[in-house]
Amino acid sequence: KAGADLLDISHTFETRAAAAAAIEAAVLRGDIPEARIDEALGRIAAAKAALALPPPSWDEASRLIASPESVALSEAVYLDSLSLIKAGEGLPPSVGSLYVDIVPQGSSQAENPSILGGLVAAALDSLSPGRFRSLSVPVDPDEASIARVLAEADGRDVVVGLNDAFAHPAQIELLTALARRQKSAGRRIGIVSMRSPYDASLVPESLSASAFLCAYEYTRASARCVARYLAGAVSASGYCPVSIPPAVHN
């Protein structure tokens, strides 16, 4: 109804299947004329016909995407997107710092859940063994998880990898608890958002001096890039494409 010919639903299989079923049901009810579907297919076919090369098959496309050249290009794009939204203390971290890897869970994530689980922690262990300590906690850290983080942070600088904190406010409770502990101990905190740059507006006022980096996505490739940045091997040269509203201090 909005005039789009092609829907790109980058989410779980169940969500994609439900979207296709909803479109089919709308056609059967008469909400969307079948002629509108035919019109869209015609324009898509014309666009494909205008390509310099025919679209590859699924198997060929899968092979191309997994090729070393494509992987290298993908990692270069991830590196170029790393954005230092706010310069400050804590990034890059000192040797021996603790990285708190907040791990997304559940079907609300667009990434394949089978590949998730401490990706930044694993990348740090692989690229810089022994240089940092890492700890993975769930996307909604409870009191026990927060207590574990505080115990591990004792005597260390800390970097916290947020993951969609707007939808998971317990992450800000973790940051606030860390801020109290670290300030009294004279230690620094750096912050990385592995999804939304808007998480910067939720940072507690007590961490206003902390640096804030955004990687925009929680995947193996982005995790490797963040790990390289934390180790000082690369810089953050990306530009955040949105304006961040003023911090909301709770």
Side-chain angles (χ1 to χ4, degrees):
K1 289 182 178 180
D5 291 330
L6 186 64
L7 299 179
D8 184 5
I9 303 174
S10 177
H11 216 276
T12 62
F13 173 80
E14 291 78 12
T15 301
R16 295 194 297 267
I23 294 171
E24 181 182 14
V27 172
L28 294 175
R29 288 194 308 267
D31 292 345
I32 299 176
E34 191 167 348
R36 176 67 186 88
I37 304 294
D38 294 337
E39 178 187 336
L41 287 173
R43 279 197 286 263
I44 293 169
K48 287 183 176 180
L51 295 175
L53 296 173
S57 67
W58 179 266
D59 289 341
E60 176 64 7
S62 299
R63 185 190 67 79
L64 291 172
I65 290 172
S67 69
E69 296 81 6
S70 294
V71 172
L73 175 60
S74 172
E75 185 137 338
V77 171
Y78 276 110
L79 274 176
D80 287 344
S81 72
L82 284 180
S83 306
L84 189 60
I85 292 176
K86 180 179 179 295
E89 63 182 32
L91 292 178
S94 59
V95 174
S97 293
L98 171 69
Y99 184 84
V100 181
D101 196 353
I102 297 179
V103 181
Q105 297 166 340
S107 60
S108 63
Q109 300 299 331
E111 293 92 346
N112 184 346
S114 67
I115 69 169
L116 301 179
L119 297 184
V120 181
L124 283 171
D125 291 343
S126 173
L127 296 172
S128 305
R131 182 167 183 168
F132 303 108
R133 184 164 180 80
S134 57
L135 176 65
S136 297
V137 298
V139 71
D140 293 302
D142 56 15
E143 290 183 6
S145 296
I146 293 174
R148 284 177 57 216
V149 171
L150 294 177
E152 290 288 342
D154 189 32
R156 303 176 185 272
D157 290 341
V158 178
V159 178
V160 178
L162 298 178
N163 212 304
D164 198 12
F166 261 101
H168 305 280
Q171 296 177 28
I172 304 305
E173 295 176 19
L174 168 60
L175 267 184
T176 303
L178 266 174
R180 287 194 296 265
R181 165 69 69 85
Q182 298 301 88
K183 186 175 182 179
S184 64
R187 310 301 304 193
R188 304 185 308 164
I189 298 177
I191 305 168
V192 178
S193 174
M194 294 303 298
R195 293 188 70 85
S196 172
Y198 294 113
D199 285 351
S201 66
L202 297 178
V203 174
E205 189 173 11
S206 55
L207 293 178
S208 59
S210 294
F212 192 100
L213 178 81
C214 191
Y216 304 101
E217 193 171 77
Y218 193 86
T219 60
R220 285 197 179 96
S222 61
R224 284 195 300 270
C225 293
V226 169
R228 291 175 65 187
Y229 170 83
L230 296 176
V234 298
S235 60
S237 59
Y239 174 78
C240 181
V242 297
S243 298
I244 309 301
V248 180
H249 301 309
N250 295 320

